[in-house]
DNA sequence: CGCTTGATCTGGAGCGGCTCCAGGTGGGTA
DNA sequence: TACCCACCTGGAGCCGCTCCAGATCAAGCG
C-alpha cells in the first residue's frame, strides 16, 4: 500500500513515517518501480508498534535499539523482552501521573464551584 | 524559599522553572535584596499545577493562556474551568492510549514466550 | 496530445519544550 | 584573602517532529 494509507492505518503522519525511516526505526521499506514506498501489512504492524512506543514516551534512541535487535532475529528476543517489560513499567508510572493530575484538576474544579457559590 | 528548594518540591528542574518564568507561565516571582528569586508556598503550588499540566501534555501556549486568566482574577474562572475540564478529557484519552499500548506489549511478550517455548 | 491535478519524492529549515553552558555576582567558611 | 557554592543572564544545543520548496510522475480530461 501507499504511504498515505500506511499513515492512516498507524496514526502517524506521512512526514513522521519518512522521518522514522531515515532515523533507522523501520526495516528498509520496499519501493515500487516508480521509486515510491510500498508498505506491507507487516510494515504497518511495525509502524503501529513504533507509534505506540513513541506516544507513550519511549525515546527514539531506545526504539532504534529495539529495531536493530529485531533485525538480528530470534537470538535477540531476551533483550527485546527486557525492553518491553521495562517499558510496561514506565506505562504504569505514567498512568499514576495521569491519575494524580486528574485528582488535582478535580480539586481545582471543586474550588471554582465553591468560589462561585460563595459570591 | 530558594529556587533549588522550589525545584525539589515541584519536580521541575531549576532551568525549567526559569524558562517557565521567561515564558510567562508564572506570576512574577519575588526577588530578595540580593536579586535572587524567592518562592512562596503559593508559588510552589502554582509550579506543581504547571508541572502536572505540562507532564500530561498541555501545550505551553494553553498554559500561558491559563496563567493569563489567573492573573485576571475570579472573573476568568468560567473559562479556566472550561480549560481544566477539557484537559481532564485529554487525560482520559491518554489513559486509554496507555492501556492500548500495555495490551499490545502484553501480546508481544506472550509471542516471545511462545517462540522460545517452540524452540 | 498537451495540460492540470494530486500524490509522492528529497533535503533542509523551523518549531516546541526543554537542557546545558559560559561568564559573572555575592554570601559563607578557613 | 582565597575558595567554594548557589544563584544569575543570555544564548546555544538537542530531540522529535512538522512543514516547505522544488522535482517527478501517473491519471483524468478537453
Amino acid at each position: 500500500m501507499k504511504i498515505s494509507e500506511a499513515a492512516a492505518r498507524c496514526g502517524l503522519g506521512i512526514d513522521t513515517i519518512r522521518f522514522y525511516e531515515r532515523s533507522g526505526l523501520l526495516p528498509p521499506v520496499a519501493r515500487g518501480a516508480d521509486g515510491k514506498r510500498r508498505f506491507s501489512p507487516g510494515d504497518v504492524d511495525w509502524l503501529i508498534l513504533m507509534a505506540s512506543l513513541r506516544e507513550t514516551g519511549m525515546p527514539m534512541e531506545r526504539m532504534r535499539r529495539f529495531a536493530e535487535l529485531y533485525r538480528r532475529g530470534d537470538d535477540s528476543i531476551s533483550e527485546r523482552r527486557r525492553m518491553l517489560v521495562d517499558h510496561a513499567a514506565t506505562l504504569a508510572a505514567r498512568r499514576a501521573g495521569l491519575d494524580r493530575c486528574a485528582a488535582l484538576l478535580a480539586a481545582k474544579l471543586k474550588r471554582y464551584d465553591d468560589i462561585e457559590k460563595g459570591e
Side-chain angles (χ1 to χ4, degrees), chain A:
Chain A
M1 76 192 74
K2 296 183 296 177
I3 195 170
S4 52
E5 192 179 343
R9 292 196 191 213
C10 72
L12 294 171
I14 289 175
D15 283 331
T16 304
I17 293 176
R18 291 200 274 246
F19 171 70
Y20 279 8
E21 190 187 19
R22 261 184 264 165
S23 309
L25 268 50
L26 272 48
V29 178
R31 301 289 182 130
D34 55 2
K36 296 180 181 173
R37 293 173 183 82
R38 296 294 149 189
F39 292 83
S40 69
D43 289 337
V44 172
D45 288 345
W46 183 260
L47 284 171
I48 289 171
L49 177 60
M50 292 297 110
S52 303
L53 295 177
R54 196 59 214 98
E55 252 169 47
T56 55
M58 183 181 286
M60 282 184 61
E61 188 52 47
R62 301 201 75 204
M63 288 168 58
R64 195 177 352 261
R65 171 78 180 148
F66 188 84
E68 190 201 328
L69 290 172
Y70 179 78
R71 255 173 263 129
R72 292 209 194 143
D74 287 358
D75 285 0
S76 68
I77 280 189
S78 69
E79 185 171 349
R80 278 189 271 157
R81 179 182 359 239
R82 225 172 305 132
M83 291 185 76
L84 296 191
V85 167
D86 277 6
H87 192 62
T90 79
L91 294 190
R94 264 166 200 264
R95 180 207 273 260
L98 288 184
D99 290 348
R100 267 196 311 281
C101 182
L104 202 162
L105 293 190
K108 277 264 166 203
L109 288 170
K110 181 162 181 323
R111 278 201 41 234
Y112 291 167
D113 288 345
D114 292 349
I115 289 170
E116 298 208 318
K117 236 178 259 159
E119 278 178 2

